[in-house]
Amino acid sequence: MDIVESAVTSVEFKWKPPKDSGGCPITSYIIERQQVGRSKWTNLGEICGSDASYRDSGVDPGRRYCYRIRAKTAEGLSDYLQTEVIAAGVLRKNNFRA
């Protein structure tokens, strides 16, 4: 996964689909965001399974966030793939962990 852009008011990232989807096509991805220092995760929604990128336009300048993504199939949900800390407005690459 890579950050495509980290602007003052948005963060955009992309990822590769999981290597093993249990034999079922991915129907959607569920995206969540957490502001660093807070315990609550905010559900940002579901996107089509054929998309493997997301732009979050709801960030505040200078704030730091973590994101997590789950793949959804007819059989259920994958484990989360979670980013490390991303600061809005600061471009960093390859800061994701499985």
Side-chain angles (χ1 to χ4, degrees), residues 1 30-32 41 67-71 77-83 97-98:
M1 295 177 52
I30 300 167
I31 315 286
E32 297 180 344
W41 285 90
Y67 293 87
R68 62 186 184 185
I69 302 161
R70 291 179 112 174
L77 298 170
S78 71
D79 292 334
Y80 284 109
L81 180 62
Q82 184 174 318
T83 70
R97 65 176 187 249

Side-chain angles (χ1 to χ4, degrees), residues 15 17-18 20-31 45-52 69-78:
W15 60 92
D20 182 9
S21 64
C24 296
I26 296 169
T27 56
S28 62
Y29 291 102
I30 300 167
I31 315 286
E46 284 188 46
I47 62 170
C48 180
S50 62
D51 295 334
I69 302 161
R70 291 179 112 174
K72 184 177 180 181
T73 70
E75 295 296 316
L77 298 170
S78 71

Side-chain angles (χ1 to χ4, degrees), residues 8 16 25 27 30 37 43 56-57 62 66 72 74 79 81 86-87 89 95:
V8 175
K16 292 183 180 177
T27 56
I30 300 167
N43 185 340
D56 180 7
S57 329
C66 289
K72 184 177 180 181
D79 292 334
L81 180 62
I86 301 171
N95 61 346

